[in-house]
Amino acid sequence: MEIIFATSNQHKLQEAQGITGNKISLITPSQIGIYHDIPEDGKSLEENALIKASFIFKTTNRNCFADDTGLEVEALNGEPGVKSARYASEECDSRLNMQKLLKELKGVTNRKARFRTVIALFLDGKQHLFEGILNGTITETQYGKGGFGYDPLFVPEGYTKTLAELTDSQKNLISHRGIAIRKLSQFLKNYSTE
Ligand code: IMP
């Protein structure tokens, strides 16, 4: 089965392909000549994932999926959430985003947070949603050099290190995106054997 993953991020593509295996072949929009920058102006992760996936579905009429992820901080009523990439400014600068988050949480004792990934799938014209959640806490300062985004501030539940201090494979095993992609992958495998 061939399916379009609406991303331009090669790292995400490889992570997803590693999970879905070789019976499901993932291709990107640019591989079939689609280079649109799809606006992510939805009010929720679900809306954004659906905006991206439905754009590709309408353009190609082919099976496709898209993801959207946010960091949801309990004491900030779920913020930055859907605004995670552009929390501090339109520049999508992780360093500034982390600075802003630490400022907002200064003196706040409830440091509970979660990463949440939503995947929207269009399969044979029908829409499906999958969710992956990683619970954890926000540190008082940055630790570690690996990963990206808010990784240096996020300690997963049951761990004493931030995501930026774990190896890629350790992170992939527990990550919100990994959980959502495994759910998608299982669904596709069951679907193709029905
Ligand atoms: P996207 O939907 O995957 O592009 O994620 C939106 C934003 O959430 C990114 O720009 C990052 O700031 C943040 N983010 C998403 N996934 C992760 C992660 O695994 N670790 C840290 N930050 C992440």
Side-chain angles (χ1 to χ4, degrees):
M1 177 195 287
E2 197 174 74
I3 184 155
I4 304 168
F5 181 10
T7 186
S8 55
N9 181 324
Q10 286 303 313
H11 181 81
K12 277 191 190 177
L13 179 72
Q14 278 165 17
E15 182 187 353
Q17 187 68 78
I19 293 172
T20 55
N22 53 14
K23 289 211 173 112
I24 298 164
S25 171
L26 301 184
I27 56 170
T28 59
S30 64
Q31 284 174 289
I32 52 167
I34 298 173
Y35 296 97
H36 273 78
D37 203 7
I38 308 164
E40 296 184 30
D41 52 5
K43 290 195 174 52
S44 65
L45 300 174
E46 283 78 2
E47 262 190 59
N48 270 348
L50 282 166
I51 288 170
K52 289 186 272 186
S54 65
F55 175 86
I56 298 296
F57 178 64
K58 282 180 194 146
T59 312
T60 64
N61 204 26
R62 288 170 63 173
N63 294 331
C64 60
F65 69 93
D67 71 328
D68 202 37
T69 295
L71 174 67
E72 300 177 335
V73 179
E74 196 173 276
L76 302 177
N77 301 317
E79 291 229 326
V82 74
K83 294 181 279 189
S84 293
R86 297 175 178 80
Y87 191 37
S89 70
E90 281 302 307
E91 307 308 313
C92 295
D93 182 324
S94 294
R95 195 181 51 86
L96 294 178
N97 286 339
M98 285 192 286
Q99 263 176 21
K100 173 161 165 127
L101 181 61
L102 288 179
K103 201 169 145 214
E104 296 289 335
L105 287 178
K106 204 163 172 77
V108 175
T109 46
N110 176 8
R111 316 287 296 188
K112 281 190 202 159
R114 64 182 194 176
F115 276 112
R116 194 163 74 88
T117 294
V118 174
I119 291 178
L121 166 72
F122 279 77
L123 187 64
D124 292 337
K126 284 205 187 108
Q127 199 175 292
H128 308 268
L129 289 177
F130 305 89
E131 185 186 59
I133 289 176
L134 176 63
N135 289 308
T137 49
I138 302 297
T139 51
E140 304 270 351
T141 183
Q142 296 177 31
Y143 297 97
K145 302 227 176 299
F148 72 102
Y150 299 87
D151 280 350
L153 298 182
F154 188 90
V155 176
E157 210 168 72
Y159 286 71
T160 53
K161 289 178 173 176
T162 67
L163 285 174
E165 295 174 292
L166 302 182
T167 63
D168 280 355
S169 48
Q170 282 173 322
K171 180 182 168 185
N172 290 346
L173 272 181
I174 58 168
S175 93
H176 40 97
R177 203 172 0 265
I179 294 168
I181 296 170
R182 279 190 285 278
K183 285 184 187 171
L184 165 79
S185 175
Q186 198 51 55
F187 179 84
L188 291 173
K189 280 172 192 159
N190 293 343
Y191 188 86
S192 56
T193 55
E194 264 172 17

